[in-house]
Amino acid sequence: MATVLYILFYNANAVPRPLIHAVVRANSQNALMKVSARNTFQGTISAIQPGTVNAEISLKTKRGDTLVAVVTAGSVKSLGLNVGKEVVALVKAPWVMLATGHGKRSFSARNQWKGQVSTLVKGAVSAEVGVTLPGGTEVFAVVTKQAVKEMNLALGKEAVAIIKASDVILAVAR
């Protein structure tokens, strides 16, 4: 039996992207449709901070990480978001930023997770970098080869995965 997910693409700093409907099964291995977002987080909404225009949604992932998303107040209503509701959060790898030497700089992004570089695939121009968090979640970023060189990224090196809350896409079962 299929579950329908409503996926709302929205970035507070850009023109809202269209609402996309995708039909997927709850188990992603048996998906009727796959998405190109490299990072998917299943979890439960743990808090909602409502606002006039946007709301801040906190969710606890299945692996124990906390992820924060910012969505419009209209999306909170149309998706039926409430504390305790199961959601899937999607983040495209190019939207993930990486930092090394964390603690020396401050970032305004709400989602900042320290982990170890566990995947490093270099291409002609860019590289895919996976950072494994303490709970086992691997967060993927796509950065330039120059950034890999400048940050001295290597397997096993500590790095911080950074995701702006406005770059998180939430999906709910219908």
Side-chain angles (χ1 to χ4, degrees):
M1 180 163 157
T3 301
V4 176
L5 294 181
Y6 288 90
I7 303 174
L8 176 62
F9 289 83
Y10 181 79
N11 180 328
N13 299 322
V15 176
R17 297 178 182 119
L19 180 64
I20 298 190
H21 299 270
V23 178
V24 299
R25 293 186 192 276
N27 181 342
S28 61
Q29 272 87 17
N30 297 321
L32 296 175
M33 177 183 286
K34 294 185 178 184
V35 296
S36 64
R38 189 74 169 93
N39 300 292
T40 59
F41 306 88
Q42 292 183 333
T44 304
I45 295 175
S46 58
I48 297 177
Q49 181 64 44
T52 305
V53 177
N54 289 329
E56 182 179 275
I57 312 297
S58 296
L59 67 111
K60 189 63 114 177
T61 69
K62 299 280 185 192
R63 298 213 175 190
D65 302 301
T66 298
L67 177 72
V68 177
V70 171
V71 299
T72 63
S75 292
V76 171
K77 183 177 179 181
S78 68
L79 296 174
L81 301 181
N82 54 51
V83 173
K85 186 168 187 113
E86 294 284 324
V87 296
V88 175
L90 305 168
V91 180
K92 291 183 61 68
W95 299 347
V96 178
M97 297 171 280
L98 297 177
T100 56
H102 197 60
K104 298 176 185 173
R105 295 179 183 89
S106 295
F107 299 94
S108 63
R110 292 297 313 271
N111 301 297
Q112 300 180 38
W113 301 299
K114 190 183 300 185
Q116 304 291 320
V117 175
S118 51
T119 301
L120 184 56
V121 180
K122 295 179 184 176
V125 176
S126 57
E128 179 182 59
V129 181
V131 176
T132 298
L133 308 182
T137 299
E138 188 170 25
V139 178
F140 291 93
V142 172
V143 298
T144 64
K145 270 183 39 180
Q146 184 65 29
V148 169
K149 182 178 176 182
E150 289 173 2
M151 291 190 289
N152 295 313
L153 291 175
L155 293 176
K157 182 169 182 178
E158 186 175 275
V160 178
I162 303 167
I163 302 171
K164 291 173 46 178
S166 58
D167 285 342
V168 178
I169 301 161
L170 295 181
V172 299
R174 185 173 182 188

